[in-house]
Amino acid sequence: MSFILYLLSGALAGLLGGMGMGGGTVLIPILTIFLGVSQHIAQATNVIAFLPMAAFALPKHKKAGYLKTEGLAYVIIPALISSVLFSLLASVTDGEALRKLFGAFLIALAVKGLISLRAEFSSSKKGGKSA
Amino acid sequence: MKMSVLLRRGRRLTQTDKTGRILSGLGVGAANGLFGGGGGMIAVPLLSAQARLNAKQAHATAILVIAPLCLVSAIIYSVNGYFSVQIVIPAAIGNVAGGLVGAALLDKLPPVWVKISFVAVMLAAGIRMVIG
């Protein structure tokens, strides 16, 4: 039974991720809030589950010409360095504290999302096009 | 010489471009490392703005940026004992299946009600996690 619940959680996250919204920002709260998974295990599940998805998606995106690698090393190399440091920090952070921090991060992302939705609304009104 | 070509290719990056990208990378890596996710949510708007990518390009390129970060986090978390095979296998299978469907739907960008629901879910989940 739990196999199916984890499968469905992953599917919902993959669906959102594939549509260009954050998959992990949905998978991690589902696992912790509804399925009682610890914050650390939920985070580990998300980073691992991302890899096969990326392995499937990247060749398709490359073929479609969507990958823009110009100057990308300037992003990836510092990202890798901070990712190593902050993954180590996460590993030694108390699960409860990490959960609260993650919650605050989600709230910040939601506020950012609200702002961009609002901008989208006002620009579509100006355009006068009703979809 | 060859490396420098690879680093800029096409348009020459100004010092400001480079600094912006390095700072973005540090931020994306920090969030994704600490929270085991969410790096893409930051990378997509940054890539759109800095590299002037459209929505699909930014989304696809963000996956390329996030994948190596997830790989190092996966190794570090697992080495520290945070790994559950019973959870990760079904979640990964579901993620691939959902991702394929989602990518097929991406040809039409998500309708606004999907975006609104997504923001609402993030907000509710965030509040629940902070106070719960």
Side-chain angles (χ1 to χ4, degrees), chain B residues 39-61:
Chain B
M41 299 280 295
I42 307 175
V44 169
L46 288 172
L47 287 168
S48 310
Q50 292 176 339
R52 287 172 275 280
L53 304 186
N54 68 35
K56 281 184 187 178
Q57 293 167 342
H59 171 65
T61 307

Side-chain angles (χ1 to χ4, degrees), chain A residues 14-112:
Chain A
L15 188 65
L16 286 169
M19 290 174 83
M21 291 176 284
T25 51
V26 168
L27 180 59
I28 294 169
I30 293 177
L31 290 177
T32 58
I33 297 174
F34 297 111
L35 303 177
V37 175
S38 80
Q39 182 68 27
H40 282 107
I41 297 283
Q43 292 190 188
T45 300
N46 186 53
V47 290
I48 298 168
F50 187 89
L51 297 172
M53 190 282 293
F56 274 95
L58 285 174
K60 288 190 179 181
H61 289 318
K62 189 173 193 296
K63 211 174 156 195
Y66 291 148
L67 293 182
K68 297 292 166 196
T69 53
E70 177 197 312
L72 209 60
Y74 286 105
V75 180
I76 293 183
I77 293 166
L80 267 174
I81 295 167
S82 66
S83 185
V84 168
L85 296 174
F86 281 85
S87 298
L88 289 169
L89 179 65
S91 300
V92 296
T93 302
D94 169 66
E96 198 53 42
L98 198 55
R99 179 182 156 100
K100 286 186 193 302
L101 279 173
F102 186 88
F105 177 58
L106 281 185
I107 294 170
L109 288 175
V111 169
K112 164 94 179 44

Side-chain angles (χ1 to χ4, degrees), chain B:
Chain B
M1 180 59 199
K2 205 176 173 194
M3 183 64 182
S4 69
V5 172
L6 207 146
L7 284 172
R8 55 184 153 87
R9 222 169 78 192
R11 190 171 53 87
R12 190 183 172 85
L13 292 177
T14 64
Q15 198 53 47
T16 317
D17 287 337
K18 289 180 193 168
T19 310
R21 278 160 209 241
I22 290 168
L23 291 175
S24 299
L26 289 173
V28 168
N32 210 71
L34 185 60
F35 300 127
M41 299 280 295
I42 307 175
V44 169
L46 288 172
L47 287 168
S48 310
Q50 292 176 339
R52 287 172 275 280
L53 304 186
N54 68 35
K56 281 184 187 178
Q57 293 167 342
H59 171 65
T61 307
I63 298 176
L64 185 63
V65 174
I66 301 304
L69 309 184
C70 284
L71 182 63
V72 297
S73 293
I75 294 167
I76 293 172
Y77 290 170
S78 302
V79 165
N80 283 284
Y82 302 120
F83 178 79
S84 166
V85 72
Q86 294 98 316
I87 300 175
V88 84
I89 288 176
I93 295 171
N95 208 19
V96 170
L100 291 173
V101 176
L105 294 174
L106 186 66
D107 281 335
K108 302 177 183 78
L109 285 169
V112 79
W113 68 265
V114 175
K115 291 187 190 170
I116 294 172
S117 317
F118 178 63
V119 169
V121 167
M122 277 201 302
L123 189 61
I127 293 169
R128 174 78 172 74
M129 292 173 92
V130 170
I131 62 171

